[in-house]
Coordinates of all heavy atoms in Angstrom, one line a residue:
N37 N 8.0 16.5 -5.3 CA 7.2 17.3 -4.5 C 6.0 18.1 -5.3 O 5.1 18.3 -4.9 CB 8.0 18.3 -3.6 CG 8.7 17.5 -2.5 OD1 8.3 16.4 -2.2 ND2 9.8 18.2 -1.9
E38 N 6.5 18.6 -6.5 CA 5.7 19.5 -7.4 C 4.4 18.7 -7.7 O 3.4 19.2 -7.5 CB 6.4 19.9 -8.5 CG 5.7 20.8 -9.4 CD 6.5 21.3 -10.5 OE1 7.6 21.6 -10.4 OE2 5.8 21.6 -11.6
H39 N 4.5 17.3 -8.0 CA 3.2 16.6 -8.3 C 2.4 16.5 -7.1 O 1.1 16.7 -7.3 CB 3.8 15.1 -8.7 CG 2.6 14.3 -9.0 ND1 1.6 14.4 -9.9 CD2 2.0 13.2 -8.0 CE1 0.7 13.4 -9.8 NE2 0.9 12.6 -8.7
I40 N 2.9 16.4 -6.0 CA 2.0 16.3 -4.8 C 1.4 17.6 -4.5 O 0.1 17.8 -4.2 CB 2.7 15.8 -3.5 CG1 3.1 14.4 -3.6 CG2 2.0 16.1 -2.2 CD1 4.1 13.7 -2.7
I41 N 2.1 18.7 -4.8 CA 1.6 20.1 -4.5 C 0.4 20.3 -5.5 O -0.5 21.0 -5.2 CB 2.7 21.1 -4.5 CG1 3.7 21.0 -3.4 CG2 2.1 22.4 -4.6 CD1 4.7 21.8 -3.3
E42 N 0.6 20.0 -6.7 CA -0.4 20.2 -7.8 C -1.7 19.4 -7.4 O -2.7 19.8 -7.7 CB 0.2 19.8 -9.1 CG 1.2 20.7 -9.7 CD 1.7 20.3 -11.0 OE1 1.5 19.2 -11.6 OE2 2.7 21.0 -11.5
S43 N -1.4 18.0 -7.1 CA -2.6 17.2 -6.7 C -3.4 17.9 -5.5 O -4.6 17.7 -5.5 CB -2.1 15.8 -6.3 OG -1.7 15.1 -7.4
L44 N -2.7 18.3 -4.5 CA -3.3 19.0 -3.3 C -4.1 20.2 -3.7 O -5.2 20.4 -3.3 CB -2.3 19.3 -2.3 CG -2.7 19.9 -1.0 CD1 -3.7 19.0 -0.4 CD2 -1.5 20.2 -0.1
T45 N -3.6 21.1 -4.6 CA -4.2 22.2 -5.1 C -5.5 21.9 -5.7 O -6.5 22.5 -5.5 CB -3.3 23.1 -5.9 OG1 -2.1 23.4 -5.2 CG2 -3.8 24.4 -6.4
L46 N -5.3 20.9 -6.8 CA -6.5 20.6 -7.6 C -7.6 20.0 -6.7 O -8.7 20.3 -6.8 CB -6.0 19.5 -8.6 CG -7.0 19.0 -9.5 CD1 -7.7 20.0 -10.2 CD2 -6.5 17.9 -10.4
T47 N -7.2 19.0 -5.7 CA -8.1 18.4 -4.8 C -8.8 19.4 -3.9 O -10.0 19.4 -3.7 CB -7.4 17.4 -4.0 OG1 -6.8 16.5 -4.8 CG2 -8.5 16.6 -3.2
K48 N -8.0 20.4 -3.6 CA -8.7 21.4 -2.6 C -9.7 22.2 -3.4 O -10.8 22.4 -3.0 CB -7.5 22.4 -2.1 CG -8.2 23.4 -1.4 CD -7.0 24.5 -0.9 CE -7.7 25.6 -0.1 NZ -6.7 26.7 0.1
R49 N -9.4 22.6 -4.7 CA -10.3 23.2 -5.5 C -11.6 22.5 -5.8 O -12.9 23.0 -5.4 CB -9.7 23.6 -6.9 CG -10.6 24.5 -7.7 CD -9.9 25.0 -8.9 NE -8.6 25.0 -8.9 CZ -8.0 24.2 -9.9 NH1 -8.5 23.6 -10.8 NH2 -6.6 24.2 -10.0
V50 N -11.5 21.2 -5.9 CA -12.7 20.5 -6.2 C -13.5 20.2 -4.8 O -14.7 20.2 -4.7 CB -12.4 19.0 -6.8 CG1 -13.5 18.1 -6.8 CG2 -11.8 19.2 -8.2
A51 N -12.8 20.1 -3.7 CA -13.5 19.8 -2.3 C -14.2 21.0 -2.0 O -15.4 21.0 -1.5 CB -12.4 19.5 -1.4
V52 N -13.7 22.3 -2.4 CA -14.3 23.5 -2.0 C -15.5 23.7 -2.9 O -16.6 23.9 -2.3 CB -13.4 24.7 -2.0 CG1 -14.1 26.0 -2.1 CG2 -12.3 24.6 -0.9
H53 N -15.5 23.4 -4.3 CA -16.6 23.4 -5.1 C -17.7 22.5 -4.5 O -18.9 22.8 -4.6 CB -16.2 23.1 -6.5 CG -17.2 22.9 -7.4 ND1 -18.1 24.0 -7.8 CD2 -17.9 21.8 -8.0 CE1 -18.9 23.5 -8.6 NE2 -18.9 22.2 -8.8
L54 N -17.3 21.3 -4.2 CA -18.3 20.3 -3.6 C -19.0 20.9 -2.4 O -20.3 20.8 -2.3 CB -17.7 18.9 -3.3 CG -17.3 18.1 -4.6 CD1 -16.5 16.9 -4.1 CD2 -18.5 17.7 -5.4
A55 N -18.3 21.3 -1.5 CA -18.8 21.9 -0.2 C -19.7 23.0 -0.6 O -20.8 23.2 0.1 CB -17.7 22.2 0.7
R56 N -19.4 23.9 -1.4 CA -20.2 25.1 -1.6 C -21.5 24.6 -2.5 O -22.4 25.4 -2.4 CB -19.4 26.1 -2.5 CG -18.4 26.9 -1.7 CD -17.8 27.8 -2.5 NE -16.7 28.5 -1.7 CZ -15.6 29.2 -2.1 NH1 -15.4 29.3 -3.5 NH2 -14.9 29.9 -1.4
S57 N -21.4 23.5 -3.1 CA -22.6 22.9 -3.7 C -23.4 22.0 -2.9 O -24.5 21.5 -3.3 CB -22.1 22.0 -5.0 OG -21.5 22.9 -5.8
G58 N -23.1 22.0 -1.6 CA -23.9 21.3 -0.6 C -23.6 19.8 -0.4 O -24.4 19.2 0.4
F59 N -22.4 19.4 -0.8 CA -22.0 18.1 -0.5 C -21.1 18.1 0.8 O -20.5 19.1 1.1 CB -21.1 17.5 -1.6 CG -21.9 17.4 -2.9 CD1 -21.8 18.3 -3.8 CD2 -22.6 16.1 -3.1 CE1 -22.5 18.1 -5.0 CE2 -23.2 15.9 -4.3 CZ -23.4 16.9 -5.2
H60 N -21.1 17.0 1.5 CA -20.3 16.9 2.7 C -19.1 16.0 2.4 O -19.1 14.9 2.2 CB -21.1 16.2 3.8 CG -20.4 16.1 5.2 ND1 -20.3 17.2 6.0 CD2 -19.9 15.0 5.6 CE1 -19.6 16.8 7.1 NE2 -19.4 15.5 6.9
V61 N -17.8 16.6 2.5 CA -16.6 15.8 2.2 C -16.3 15.1 3.3 O -16.0 15.6 4.5 CB -15.5 17.0 1.7 CG1 -14.2 16.2 1.5 CG2 -15.8 17.6 0.5
L62 N -16.0 13.8 3.2 CA -15.7 12.9 4.4 C -14.1 12.8 4.5 O -13.6 12.6 5.6 CB -16.4 11.6 4.3 CG -17.9 11.7 4.4 CD1 -18.4 10.2 4.0 CD2 -18.5 12.4 5.6
D63 N -13.5 12.5 3.3 CA -12.1 12.3 3.3 C -11.4 12.6 2.0 O -12.1 12.6 1.0 CB -11.9 10.6 3.5 CG -10.7 10.2 3.9 OD1 -9.8 11.0 4.3 OD2 -10.4 9.1 3.6
V64 N -10.2 12.7 2.0 CA -9.3 13.1 0.9 C -8.1 12.4 0.8 O -7.6 12.1 1.9 CB -8.9 14.7 0.9 CG1 -7.9 15.0 -0.2 CG2 -10.3 15.5 0.7
E65 N -7.8 11.7 -0.3 CA -6.6 10.8 -0.5 C -5.8 11.2 -1.7 O -6.4 11.5 -2.7 CB -7.0 9.4 -0.7 CG -7.8 8.7 0.5 CD -8.3 7.3 0.2 OE1 -7.7 6.7 -0.7 OE2 -9.0 6.8 1.1
L66 N -4.5 11.5 -1.4 CA -3.6 11.9 -2.4 C -2.6 10.7 -2.6 O -2.6 9.8 -1.8 CB -2.8 13.0 -2.0 CG -3.6 14.3 -1.7 CD1 -2.7 15.4 -1.3 CD2 -4.3 14.8 -3.0
G67 N -1.8 10.7 -3.7 CA -0.8 9.7 -3.7 C -1.0 8.7 -4.7 O -0.1 8.0 -5.4
G68 N -2.3 8.3 -5.1 CA -2.5 7.4 -6.2 C -2.5 7.9 -7.6 O -1.9 9.0 -7.8
R69 N -3.0 7.3 -8.4 CA -2.9 7.9 -9.9 C -3.7 9.1 -10.0 O -3.3 10.0 -10.6 CB -3.5 6.8 -10.9 CG -3.6 7.1 -12.3 CD -4.0 6.0 -13.2 NE -5.2 5.5 -12.7 CZ -6.4 5.8 -13.5 NH1 -6.3 6.7 -14.5 NH2 -7.6 5.5 -13.2
N70 N -5.0 9.0 -9.4 CA -5.8 10.2 -9.4 C -6.1 10.6 -7.9 O -6.2 9.7 -7.1 CB -7.2 10.1 -10.0 CG -7.1 10.0 -11.5 OD1 -6.2 10.6 -12.0 ND2 -7.9 9.4 -12.1
P71 N -6.1 11.8 -7.4 CA -6.5 12.2 -6.1 C -8.0 11.7 -5.9 O -8.7 11.6 -7.0 CB -6.4 13.7 -6.0 CG -5.9 14.1 -7.2 CD -5.7 13.0 -8.2
R72 N -8.4 11.4 -4.7 CA -9.7 10.8 -4.5 C -10.4 11.5 -3.3 O -9.8 11.9 -2.3 CB -9.6 9.4 -4.2 CG -11.0 8.8 -4.0 CD -10.7 7.2 -4.0 NE -10.2 6.7 -2.8 CZ -10.4 5.5 -2.3 NH1 -11.3 4.7 -2.9 NH2 -9.9 5.2 -1.1
I73 N -11.6 12.0 -3.5 CA -12.4 12.6 -2.4 C -13.6 11.7 -2.2 O -14.3 11.2 -3.0 CB -13.0 14.1 -2.9 CG1 -11.7 15.0 -3.1 CG2 -13.9 14.6 -1.8 CD1 -12.1 16.4 -3.7
I74 N -13.7 11.4 -0.9 CA -15.0 10.6 -0.5 C -16.1 11.7 0.0 O -15.7 12.4 1.0 CB -14.6 9.6 0.7 CG1 -13.4 8.7 0.3 CG2 -15.9 8.7 0.9 CD1 -13.5 8.0 -0.9
I75 N -17.2 11.5 -0.5 CA -18.4 12.3 0.1 C -19.5 11.5 0.6 O -19.6 10.4 0.4 CB -18.9 13.3 -1.2 CG1 -19.6 12.5 -2.2 CG2 -17.9 14.2 -1.6 CD1 -20.2 13.2 -3.3
N76 N -20.4 12.2 1.5 CA -21.4 11.6 2.0 C -22.4 11.4 0.9 O -22.8 12.3 0.3 CB -22.0 12.5 3.2 CG -22.9 11.8 4.1 OD1 -22.6 10.6 4.5 ND2 -23.9 12.4 4.5
P77 N -23.1 10.2 0.9 CA -24.0 10.1 -0.2 C -25.3 10.8 0.1 O -25.8 11.0 1.3 CB -24.4 8.5 -0.1 CG -24.0 8.1 1.3 CD -22.9 9.0 1.7
C78 N -25.9 11.4 -1.0 CA -27.1 12.2 -0.8 C -27.7 12.3 -2.2 O -27.3 11.9 -3.2 CB -26.8 13.6 -0.3 SG -25.9 14.7 -1.4
K79 N -29.0 12.8 -2.3 CA -29.7 12.9 -3.6 C -29.0 13.7 -4.4 O -29.0 13.4 -5.7 CB -31.2 13.4 -3.3 CG -32.0 12.4 -2.4 CD -33.5 12.6 -2.6 CE -34.4 11.9 -1.7 NZ -34.3 10.5 -2.3
R80 N -28.2 14.7 -4.1 CA -27.5 15.6 -5.0 C -26.5 14.8 -5.8 O -25.9 15.3 -6.7 CB -26.8 16.7 -4.3 CG -27.4 18.0 -4.3 CD -26.7 19.0 -3.6 NE -27.4 19.5 -2.4 CZ -27.3 19.0 -1.1 NH1 -26.4 18.1 -0.8 NH2 -28.0 19.5 -0.1
C81 N -26.1 13.7 -5.3 CA -25.1 12.9 -6.0 C -25.5 12.5 -7.5 O -24.6 12.4 -8.2 CB -24.7 11.6 -5.1 SG -23.8 11.9 -3.7
D82 N -26.8 12.3 -7.6 CA -27.3 12.0 -8.9 C -26.7 13.0 -10.0 O -26.5 12.6 -11.2 CB -28.8 12.0 -9.0 CG -29.4 10.8 -8.2 OD1 -28.5 9.8 -8.0 OD2 -30.6 10.9 -7.9
M83 N -26.6 14.3 -9.5 CA -26.2 15.3 -10.6 C -24.6 15.2 -10.9 O -24.2 15.9 -11.9 CB -26.5 16.6 -10.3 CG -26.2 17.1 -8.7 SD -26.9 18.8 -8.5 CE -25.3 19.6 -8.0
L84 N -23.9 14.4 -10.3 CA -22.5 14.2 -10.5 C -22.3 13.2 -11.8 O -21.2 13.2 -12.3 CB -21.8 13.7 -9.4 CG -21.6 14.6 -8.0 CD1 -21.0 13.9 -6.9 CD2 -21.0 15.8 -8.5
G85 N -23.4 12.5 -12.0 CA -23.3 11.5 -13.2 C -22.3 10.4 -13.0 O -21.8 10.0 -14.0
G86 N -22.2 9.9 -11.7 CA -21.3 8.8 -11.5 C -21.6 7.5 -12.0 O -22.8 7.3 -12.5
A87 N -20.7 6.7 -12.1 CA -20.8 5.3 -12.4 C -20.4 4.4 -11.3 O -19.6 4.6 -10.5 CB -19.9 4.9 -13.7
M88 N -21.0 3.2 -11.2 CA -20.7 2.2 -10.2 C -19.4 1.5 -10.4 O -19.1 1.1 -11.6 CB -21.8 1.0 -10.2 CG -21.5 0.1 -9.0 SD -22.8 -1.1 -8.9 CE -22.9 -1.8 -10.5
I89 N -18.5 1.7 -9.4 CA -17.2 1.0 -9.6 C -17.0 -0.4 -8.7 O -15.9 -1.0 -9.0 CB -16.1 2.0 -9.3 CG1 -16.1 2.6 -7.9 CG2 -16.1 3.2 -10.3 CD1 -14.9 3.4 -7.5
R90 N -17.9 -0.5 -7.8 CA -17.7 -1.6 -6.9 C -19.0 -2.0 -6.3 O -19.7 -1.0 -5.9 CB -16.7 -1.2 -5.9 CG -16.2 -2.3 -4.9 CD -15.2 -1.9 -4.0 NE -14.1 -1.0 -4.5 CZ -14.0 0.2 -4.3 NH1 -14.7 0.9 -3.5 NH2 -12.9 0.9 -4.9
I91 N -19.2 -3.3 -5.9 CA -20.3 -3.8 -5.1 C -19.7 -4.6 -4.0 O -18.9 -5.5 -4.3 CB -21.4 -4.7 -6.0 CG1 -22.0 -3.8 -6.9 CG2 -22.3 -5.2 -4.9 CD1 -23.0 -4.6 -7.9
T92 N -20.0 -4.3 -2.7 CA -19.6 -5.0 -1.6 C -20.7 -5.6 -1.1 O -21.7 -5.0 -0.5 CB -18.9 -4.0 -0.6 OG1 -17.7 -3.5 -1.2 CG2 -18.3 -4.8 0.6
K93 N -20.8 -7.0 -1.0 CA -22.0 -7.8 -0.4 C -21.7 -8.1 1.0 O -20.6 -8.5 1.3 CB -22.1 -9.0 -1.2 CG -22.5 -8.6 -2.6 CD -23.0 -10.0 -3.5 CE -23.5 -9.4 -4.8 NZ -24.3 -10.3 -5.6
M94 N -22.7 -7.9 1.9 CA -22.7 -8.1 3.3 C -23.9 -9.0 3.7 O -24.7 -9.1 2.7 CB -22.7 -6.8 4.1 CG -21.6 -5.9 3.8 SD -21.7 -4.3 4.8 CE -20.3 -3.5 4.1
P95 N -24.0 -9.5 4.7 CA -25.1 -10.6 5.0 C -26.4 -10.0 4.8 O -27.2 -10.6 4.3 CB -24.8 -10.9 6.5 CG -23.3 -10.6 6.8 CD -23.0 -9.5 5.8
R96 N -26.7 -8.8 5.1 CA -28.1 -8.3 4.9 C -28.2 -7.0 4.0 O -29.3 -6.5 3.7 CB -28.7 -7.9 6.2 CG -28.8 -9.1 7.1 CD -29.7 -8.7 8.3 NE -30.1 -10.0 9.0 CZ -29.6 -10.3 10.3 NH1 -28.8 -9.4 11.0 NH2 -29.9 -11.4 10.9
M97 N -27.1 -6.7 3.5 CA -27.2 -5.6 2.5 C -26.0 -5.7 1.5 O -25.0 -6.5 1.7 CB -27.1 -4.2 3.2 CG -25.8 -4.0 3.9 SD -25.5 -2.4 4.6 CE -27.1 -1.6 4.7
Q98 N -26.1 -4.8 0.5 CA -24.8 -4.6 -0.4 C -24.7 -3.1 -0.5 O -25.6 -2.3 -0.3 CB -25.2 -5.3 -1.7 CG -26.2 -4.8 -2.5 CD -26.3 -5.5 -3.9 OE1 -25.7 -6.5 -4.0 NE2 -27.0 -4.9 -4.7
V99 N -23.4 -2.8 -0.7 CA -23.0 -1.2 -0.8 C -22.5 -1.1 -2.2 O -21.5 -1.8 -2.6 CB -22.1 -1.0 0.2 CG1 -21.7 0.5 0.1 CG2 -22.6 -1.2 1.6
R100 N -23.1 -0.2 -2.9 CA -22.5 0.2 -4.3 C -21.7 1.4 -4.0 O -22.0 2.4 -3.6 CB -23.6 0.5 -5.2 CG -24.5 -0.6 -5.7 CD -25.6 -0.1 -6.7 NE -26.5 0.7 -6.1 CZ -26.8 1.9 -6.7 NH1 -26.4 2.2 -7.9 NH2 -27.6 2.8 -6.1
T101 N -20.4 1.4 -4.6 CA -19.5 2.5 -4.6 C -19.7 3.0 -5.9 O -19.4 2.5 -6.9 CB -18.0 2.0 -4.2 OG1 -18.1 1.4 -3.0 CG2 -17.2 3.3 -4.2
M102 N -20.0 4.4 -5.9 CA -20.1 5.2 -7.1 C -18.9 6.1 -7.3 O -18.4 6.6 -6.3 CB -21.6 6.0 -7.0 CG -22.7 5.2 -6.7 SD -23.1 4.0 -8.1 CE -23.5 5.2 -9.4
A103 N -18.6 6.5 -8.5 CA -17.6 7.4 -8.8 C -17.8 8.4 -10.0 O -18.4 7.9 -10.8 CB -16.2 6.7 -8.9
A104 N -17.4 9.5 -9.7 CA -17.4 10.5 -10.8 C -16.0 11.3 -10.9 O -15.5 11.4 -9.9 CB -18.6 11.6 -10.5
N105 N -15.7 11.6 -12.0 CA -14.5 12.3 -12.2 C -14.7 13.8 -12.4 O -15.5 14.2 -13.2 CB -13.7 11.8 -13.5 CG -12.3 12.4 -13.6 OD1 -12.0 13.6 -13.7 ND2 -11.3 11.6 -13.5
I106 N -14.1 14.6 -11.5 CA -14.4 16.1 -11.6 C -13.0 16.7 -11.8 O -12.2 16.6 -10.7 CB -15.1 16.6 -10.4 CG1 -16.5 16.0 -10.2 CG2 -15.2 18.0 -10.5 CD1 -17.3 16.4 -9.0
D107 N -12.7 17.2 -12.9 CA -11.4 17.9 -13.2 C -10.2 17.0 -12.7 O -9.2 17.5 -12.2 CB -11.4 19.2 -12.4 CG -12.4 20.3 -12.8 OD1 -12.8 20.1 -14.1 OD2 -12.7 21.1 -12.1
G108 N -10.1 15.8 -12.9 CA -9.1 14.9 -12.8 C -9.2 14.3 -11.3 O -8.2 13.6 -10.9
V109 N -10.1 14.7 -10.5 CA -10.2 14.1 -9.2 C -11.4 13.1 -9.2 O -12.5 13.3 -9.6 CB -10.5 15.3 -8.0 CG1 -10.8 14.8 -6.7 CG2 -9.4 16.3 -8.1
Q110 N -11.1 11.8 -8.5 CA -12.1 11.0 -8.5 C -13.0 11.2 -7.2 O -12.4 11.2 -6.0 CB -11.6 9.5 -8.5 CG -12.6 8.5 -8.3 CD -12.1 7.1 -8.8 OE1 -11.3 7.0 -9.7 NE2 -12.4 6.1 -8.0
V111 N -14.3 11.5 -7.3 CA -15.1 11.7 -6.2 C -15.9 10.4 -6.1 O -16.6 9.9 -7.1 CB -16.1 12.9 -6.5 CG1 -17.0 13.2 -5.4 CG2 -15.2 14.2 -6.8
E112 N -15.9 9.9 -4.9 CA -16.7 8.7 -4.6 C -17.7 8.7 -3.5 O -17.5 9.5 -2.6 CB -15.7 7.5 -4.2 CG -14.7 7.1 -5.3 CD -13.9 6.0 -4.8 OE1 -14.0 5.4 -3.7 OE2 -12.9 5.7 -5.5
W113 N -18.7 8.0 -3.5 CA -19.8 7.9 -2.4 C -20.4 6.5 -2.5 O -20.2 5.7 -3.5 CB -20.9 8.9 -2.7 CG -21.6 8.8 -3.9 CD1 -22.9 8.2 -4.1 CD2 -21.3 9.3 -5.1 NE1 -23.3 8.3 -5.3 CE2 -22.3 9.0 -5.9 CE3 -20.3 10.0 -5.7 CZ2 -22.4 9.4 -7.3 CZ3 -20.3 10.3 -7.0 CH2 -21.3 10.1 -7.8
M114 N -20.8 6.0 -1.2 CA -21.3 4.7 -1.0 C -22.8 4.7 -1.0 O -23.2 5.4 0.0 CB -20.5 3.9 0.0 CG -19.0 3.6 -0.2 SD -18.1 3.1 1.1 CE -17.0 4.3 1.2
V115 N -23.4 3.8 -1.7 CA -25.0 3.7 -1.5 C -25.2 2.3 -1.0 O -25.1 1.4 -1.7 CB -25.6 3.9 -2.9 CG1 -27.1 4.0 -2.8 CG2 -25.1 5.2 -3.4
P116 N -25.7 2.3 0.3 CA -26.2 1.0 0.8 C -27.6 0.5 0.2 O -28.5 1.4 0.0 CB -26.3 1.2 2.3 CG -26.6 2.8 2.4 CD -25.9 3.3 1.2
E117 N -27.8 -0.8 0.1 CA -29.0 -1.3 -0.5 C -29.4 -2.5 0.3 O -28.4 -3.3 0.6 CB -28.9 -1.5 -2.0 CG -28.7 -0.5 -2.9 CD -28.5 -0.8 -4.2 OE1 -28.2 -2.0 -4.5 OE2 -28.8 0.0 -5.2
N118 N -30.6 -2.7 0.6 CA -31.0 -4.1 1.1 C -30.8 -5.1 0.1 O -31.2 -5.0 -1.2 CB -32.4 -4.0 1.7 CG -32.6 -3.2 2.8 OD1 -31.7 -2.8 3.5 ND2 -33.8 -2.6 3.0
A119 N -30.3 -6.3 0.4 CA -30.0 -7.3 -0.6 C -31.1 -8.1 -0.7 O -32.1 -8.3 0.0 CB -28.8 -8.2 0.0

């Protein structure tokens, strides 16, 4: 239980920081190796310095999933592109 409480506390701190910085938090996931926060993509995401972790191809577009690590929390956002 202590590990989950520590993850929750850390994730809450990062989510609050993101929200106060103008990001829109969409989802939070605990339980994996690192807690994960999903945010709405926006121009501000560039300042997070993320790296592409996945490309999902669809018939008329592809979606790049970007991720940045903030204090041990993986912050992800998805960027759609025309294929």
